[in-house]
mmCIF file of all heavy atoms in Angstrom:
data_model
loop_
_atom_site.group_PDB
_atom_site.id
_atom_site.type_symbol
_atom_site.label_atom_id
_atom_site.label_comp_id
_atom_site.label_asym_id
_atom_site.label_seq_id
_atom_site.Cartn_x
_atom_site.Cartn_y
_atom_site.Cartn_z
ATOM 1 N N LEU A 139 79.575 8.768 -3.065
ATOM 2 C CA LEU A 139 79.518 7.428 -3.638
ATOM 3 C C LEU A 139 80.084 7.474 -5.050
ATOM 4 O O LEU A 139 80.139 8.536 -5.679
ATOM 5 C CB LEU A 139 78.076 6.914 -3.657
ATOM 6 C CG LEU A 139 77.468 6.602 -2.292
ATOM 7 C CD1 LEU A 139 76.018 6.176 -2.457
ATOM 8 C CD2 LEU A 139 78.246 5.517 -1.568
ATOM 9 N N PRO A 140 80.527 6.333 -5.575
ATOM 10 C CA PRO A 140 81.216 6.331 -6.872
ATOM 11 C C PRO A 140 80.277 6.450 -8.065
ATOM 12 O O PRO A 140 80.138 5.537 -8.886
ATOM 13 C CB PRO A 140 81.955 4.986 -6.864
ATOM 14 C CG PRO A 140 81.106 4.099 -6.030
ATOM 15 C CD PRO A 140 80.554 4.990 -4.956
ATOM 16 N N TYR A 141 79.626 7.598 -8.172
ATOM 17 C CA TYR A 141 78.793 7.913 -9.320
ATOM 18 C C TYR A 141 79.147 9.303 -9.796
ATOM 19 O O TYR A 141 79.176 10.252 -9.006
ATOM 20 C CB TYR A 141 77.299 7.834 -8.967
ATOM 21 C CG TYR A 141 76.825 6.440 -8.642
ATOM 22 C CD1 TYR A 141 76.857 5.968 -7.333
ATOM 23 C CD2 TYR A 141 76.359 5.595 -9.648
ATOM 24 C CE1 TYR A 141 76.447 4.679 -7.035
ATOM 25 C CE2 TYR A 141 75.944 4.307 -9.347
ATOM 26 C CZ TYR A 141 75.980 3.853 -8.041
ATOM 27 O OH TYR A 141 75.586 2.579 -7.745
ATOM 28 N N ALA A 142 79.418 9.427 -11.087
ATOM 29 C CA ALA A 142 79.730 10.725 -11.680
ATOM 30 C C ALA A 142 78.570 11.165 -12.563
ATOM 31 O O ALA A 142 77.914 10.335 -13.213
ATOM 32 C CB ALA A 142 81.012 10.648 -12.496
ATOM 33 N N PHE A 143 78.354 12.469 -12.578
ATOM 34 C CA PHE A 143 77.299 13.066 -13.393
ATOM 35 C C PHE A 143 77.946 13.991 -14.416
ATOM 36 O O PHE A 143 78.784 14.817 -14.072
ATOM 37 C CB PHE A 143 76.320 13.839 -12.516
ATOM 38 C CG PHE A 143 75.633 12.990 -11.488
ATOM 39 C CD1 PHE A 143 76.256 12.688 -10.281
ATOM 40 C CD2 PHE A 143 74.378 12.465 -11.728
ATOM 41 C CE1 PHE A 143 75.637 11.895 -9.334
ATOM 42 C CE2 PHE A 143 73.748 11.664 -10.784
ATOM 43 C CZ PHE A 143 74.372 11.369 -9.581
ATOM 44 N N PHE A 144 77.537 13.846 -15.679
ATOM 45 C CA PHE A 144 78.074 14.651 -16.763
ATOM 46 C C PHE A 144 76.925 15.395 -17.443
ATOM 47 O O PHE A 144 75.836 14.844 -17.615
ATOM 48 C CB PHE A 144 78.785 13.778 -17.800
ATOM 49 C CG PHE A 144 79.967 13.033 -17.266
ATOM 50 C CD1 PHE A 144 79.811 11.772 -16.692
ATOM 51 C CD2 PHE A 144 81.239 13.569 -17.321
ATOM 52 C CE1 PHE A 144 80.898 11.063 -16.199
ATOM 53 C CE2 PHE A 144 82.335 12.883 -16.824
ATOM 54 C CZ PHE A 144 82.167 11.627 -16.259
ATOM 55 N N GLY A 145 77.200 16.634 -17.844
ATOM 56 C CA GLY A 145 76.207 17.422 -18.572
ATOM 57 C C GLY A 145 76.600 17.560 -20.030
ATOM 58 O O GLY A 145 77.775 17.657 -20.373
ATOM 59 N N SER A 146 75.597 17.604 -20.901
ATOM 60 C CA SER A 146 75.826 17.697 -22.339
ATOM 61 C C SER A 146 75.643 19.128 -22.834
ATOM 62 O O SER A 146 74.616 19.763 -22.572
ATOM 63 C CB SER A 146 74.849 16.783 -23.087
ATOM 64 O OG SER A 146 74.874 17.043 -24.475
ATOM 65 N N LEU A 147 76.651 19.605 -23.576
ATOM 66 C CA LEU A 147 76.512 20.898 -24.242
ATOM 67 C C LEU A 147 75.551 20.823 -25.419
ATOM 68 O O LEU A 147 74.993 21.841 -25.846
ATOM 69 C CB LEU A 147 77.870 21.386 -24.742
ATOM 70 C CG LEU A 147 78.887 21.851 -23.709
ATOM 71 C CD1 LEU A 147 80.207 22.202 -24.399
ATOM 72 C CD2 LEU A 147 78.370 23.051 -22.929
ATOM 73 N N ALA A 148 75.354 19.630 -25.957
ATOM 74 C CA ALA A 148 74.544 19.476 -27.163
ATOM 75 C C ALA A 148 73.057 19.686 -26.888
ATOM 76 O O ALA A 148 72.388 20.452 -27.597
ATOM 77 C CB ALA A 148 74.773 18.096 -27.772
ATOM 78 N N ASP A 149 72.539 19.025 -25.850
ATOM 79 C CA ASP A 149 71.096 19.101 -25.606
ATOM 80 C C ASP A 149 70.736 19.205 -24.126
ATOM 81 O O ASP A 149 69.558 19.245 -23.779
ATOM 82 C CB ASP A 149 70.377 17.898 -26.213
ATOM 83 C CG ASP A 149 70.919 16.561 -25.713
ATOM 84 O OD1 ASP A 149 71.634 16.549 -24.690
ATOM 85 O OD2 ASP A 149 70.620 15.514 -26.347
ATOM 86 N N GLY A 150 71.737 19.223 -23.238
ATOM 87 C CA GLY A 150 71.456 19.373 -21.815
ATOM 88 C C GLY A 150 71.189 18.087 -21.074
ATOM 89 O O GLY A 150 70.879 18.122 -19.871
ATOM 90 N N ASP A 151 71.305 16.928 -21.736
ATOM 91 C CA ASP A 151 71.107 15.655 -21.035
ATOM 92 C C ASP A 151 72.079 15.531 -19.855
ATOM 93 O O ASP A 151 73.201 16.035 -19.903
ATOM 94 C CB ASP A 151 71.339 14.471 -21.969
ATOM 95 C CG ASP A 151 70.178 14.204 -22.898
ATOM 96 O OD1 ASP A 151 69.165 14.910 -22.814
ATOM 97 O OD2 ASP A 151 70.312 13.290 -23.748
ATOM 98 N N ILE A 152 71.635 14.813 -18.809
ATOM 99 C CA ILE A 152 72.495 14.467 -17.676
ATOM 100 C C ILE A 152 72.743 12.966 -17.714
ATOM 101 O O ILE A 152 71.801 12.165 -17.696
ATOM 102 C CB ILE A 152 71.862 14.869 -16.336
ATOM 103 C CG1 ILE A 152 71.569 16.376 -16.302
ATOM 104 C CG2 ILE A 152 72.775 14.471 -15.180
ATOM 105 C CD1 ILE A 152 72.796 17.265 -16.411
ATOM 106 N N TYR A 153 74.029 12.602 -17.766
ATOM 107 C CA TYR A 153 74.440 11.206 -17.892
ATOM 108 C C TYR A 153 75.134 10.789 -16.603
ATOM 109 O O TYR A 153 76.097 11.433 -16.170
ATOM 110 C CB TYR A 153 75.386 11.071 -19.076
ATOM 111 C CG TYR A 153 75.764 9.665 -19.471
ATOM 112 C CD1 TYR A 153 74.874 8.851 -20.147
ATOM 113 C CD2 TYR A 153 77.046 9.169 -19.210
ATOM 114 C CE1 TYR A 153 75.241 7.566 -20.547
ATOM 115 C CE2 TYR A 153 77.414 7.886 -19.601
ATOM 116 C CZ TYR A 153 76.496 7.088 -20.265
ATOM 117 O OH TYR A 153 76.865 5.820 -20.659
ATOM 118 N N ARG A 154 74.647 9.712 -15.976
ATOM 119 C CA ARG A 154 75.210 9.219 -14.725
ATOM 120 C C ARG A 154 76.033 7.960 -14.983
ATOM 121 O O ARG A 154 75.577 7.034 -15.643
ATOM 122 C CB ARG A 154 74.100 8.907 -13.715
ATOM 123 C CG ARG A 154 74.623 8.504 -12.331
ATOM 124 C CD ARG A 154 73.465 8.338 -11.356
ATOM 125 N NE ARG A 154 72.590 7.245 -11.723
ATOM 126 C CZ ARG A 154 71.282 7.190 -11.435
ATOM 127 N NH1 ARG A 154 70.708 8.185 -10.786
ATOM 128 N NH2 ARG A 154 70.544 6.151 -11.798
ATOM 129 N N VAL A 155 77.262 7.944 -14.425
ATOM 130 C CA VAL A 155 78.185 6.834 -14.634
ATOM 131 C C VAL A 155 78.540 6.190 -13.302
ATOM 132 O O VAL A 155 78.842 6.886 -12.328
ATOM 133 C CB VAL A 155 79.475 7.317 -15.333
ATOM 134 C CG1 VAL A 155 80.514 6.205 -15.367
ATOM 135 C CG2 VAL A 155 79.176 7.797 -16.747
ATOM 136 N N ASN A 156 78.505 4.881 -13.257
ATOM 137 C CA ASN A 156 79.017 4.120 -12.125
ATOM 138 C C ASN A 156 80.534 4.044 -12.282
ATOM 139 O O ASN A 156 81.038 3.413 -13.216
ATOM 140 C CB ASN A 156 78.394 2.722 -12.127
ATOM 141 C CG ASN A 156 78.809 1.889 -10.928
ATOM 142 O OD1 ASN A 156 79.922 2.020 -10.416
ATOM 143 N ND2 ASN A 156 77.919 1.011 -10.487
ATOM 144 N N LEU A 157 81.281 4.681 -11.391
ATOM 145 C CA LEU A 157 82.733 4.718 -11.518
ATOM 146 C C LEU A 157 83.383 3.359 -11.269
ATOM 147 O O LEU A 157 84.520 3.135 -11.684
ATOM 148 C CB LEU A 157 83.319 5.752 -10.549
ATOM 149 C CG LEU A 157 82.901 7.202 -10.786
ATOM 150 C CD1 LEU A 157 83.513 8.105 -9.719
ATOM 151 C CD2 LEU A 157 83.294 7.672 -12.172
ATOM 152 N N VAL A 158 82.678 2.467 -10.604
ATOM 153 C CA VAL A 158 83.220 1.130 -10.363
ATOM 154 C C VAL A 158 83.291 0.337 -11.664
ATOM 155 O O VAL A 158 84.287 -0.322 -11.955
ATOM 156 C CB VAL A 158 82.374 0.374 -9.324
ATOM 157 C CG1 VAL A 158 82.931 -1.024 -9.092
ATOM 158 C CG2 VAL A 158 82.316 1.143 -8.006
ATOM 159 N N THR A 159 82.241 0.422 -12.459
ATOM 160 C CA THR A 159 82.144 -0.397 -13.670
ATOM 161 C C THR A 159 82.346 0.386 -14.963
ATOM 162 O O THR A 159 82.633 -0.208 -16.002
ATOM 163 C CB THR A 159 80.767 -1.067 -13.740
ATOM 164 O OG1 THR A 159 79.758 -0.045 -13.877
ATOM 165 C CG2 THR A 159 80.493 -1.879 -12.476
ATOM 166 N N GLY A 160 82.138 1.701 -14.909
ATOM 167 C CA GLY A 160 82.210 2.520 -16.113
ATOM 168 C C GLY A 160 80.911 2.573 -16.896
ATOM 169 O O GLY A 160 80.820 3.269 -17.910
ATOM 170 N N SER A 161 79.888 1.839 -16.464
ATOM 171 C CA SER A 161 78.607 1.843 -17.172
ATOM 172 C C SER A 161 77.811 3.077 -16.807
ATOM 173 O O SER A 161 77.961 3.642 -15.712
ATOM 174 C CB SER A 161 77.808 0.588 -16.834
ATOM 175 O OG SER A 161 77.503 0.559 -15.446
ATOM 176 N N GLY A 162 76.935 3.517 -17.704
ATOM 177 C CA GLY A 162 76.162 4.720 -17.421
ATOM 178 C C GLY A 162 74.886 4.789 -18.221
ATOM 179 O O GLY A 162 74.621 3.959 -19.107
ATOM 180 N N LYS A 163 74.073 5.794 -17.903
ATOM 181 C CA LYS A 163 72.827 6.017 -18.621
ATOM 182 C C LYS A 163 72.379 7.464 -18.420
ATOM 183 O O LYS A 163 72.773 8.128 -17.450
ATOM 184 C CB LYS A 163 71.734 5.072 -18.127
ATOM 185 C CG LYS A 163 71.303 5.299 -16.685
ATOM 186 C CD LYS A 163 70.175 4.353 -16.295
ATOM 187 C CE LYS A 163 69.710 4.608 -14.859
ATOM 188 N NZ LYS A 163 68.590 3.711 -14.480
ATOM 189 N N VAL A 164 71.556 7.943 -19.328
ATOM 190 C CA VAL A 164 70.942 9.259 -19.191
ATOM 191 C C VAL A 164 69.851 9.167 -18.133
ATOM 192 O O VAL A 164 68.951 8.329 -18.239
ATOM 193 C CB VAL A 164 70.349 9.741 -20.529
ATOM 194 C CG1 VAL A 164 69.543 11.016 -20.328
ATOM 195 C CG2 VAL A 164 71.455 9.968 -21.551
ATOM 196 N N ILE A 165 69.957 10.003 -17.101
ATOM 197 C CA ILE A 165 68.933 9.981 -16.045
ATOM 198 C C ILE A 165 67.976 11.160 -16.154
ATOM 199 O O ILE A 165 66.910 11.151 -15.532
ATOM 200 C CB ILE A 165 69.559 9.976 -14.637
ATOM 201 C CG1 ILE A 165 70.337 11.276 -14.367
ATOM 202 C CG2 ILE A 165 70.420 8.744 -14.444
ATOM 203 C CD1 ILE A 165 70.583 11.538 -12.906
ATOM 204 N N SER A 166 68.349 12.182 -16.924
ATOM 205 C CA SER A 166 67.490 13.349 -17.067
ATOM 206 C C SER A 166 67.679 13.915 -18.464
ATOM 207 O O SER A 166 68.788 14.310 -18.830
ATOM 208 C CB SER A 166 67.838 14.405 -16.012
ATOM 209 O OG SER A 166 66.980 15.533 -16.104
ATOM 210 N N GLU A 167 66.610 13.937 -19.241
ATOM 211 C CA GLU A 167 66.699 14.492 -20.585
ATOM 212 C C GLU A 167 66.779 16.011 -20.514
ATOM 213 O O GLU A 167 66.063 16.646 -19.738
ATOM 214 C CB GLU A 167 65.504 14.056 -21.424
ATOM 215 C CG GLU A 167 65.495 12.574 -21.738
ATOM 216 C CD GLU A 167 64.413 12.194 -22.731
ATOM 217 O OE1 GLU A 167 63.675 13.112 -23.186
ATOM 218 O OE2 GLU A 167 64.306 11.001 -23.060
#
């Protein structure tokens, strides 16, 4: 499905993005 997950080198947060709209949020601190 069109959702991308990104990991942060800074603090390890996981950020999920809706590829259809480009909007996203942190789903796991």
Side-chain angles (χ1 to χ4, degrees):
L139 291 177
Y141 293 90
F143 300 82
F144 298 88
S146 169
L147 289 176
D149 56 16
D151 282 358
I152 302 297
Y153 188 75
R154 185 175 65 209
V155 172
N156 184 328
L157 297 178
V158 179
T159 65
S161 63
K163 66 178 182 179
V164 172
I165 64 161
S166 182
E167 292 188 1

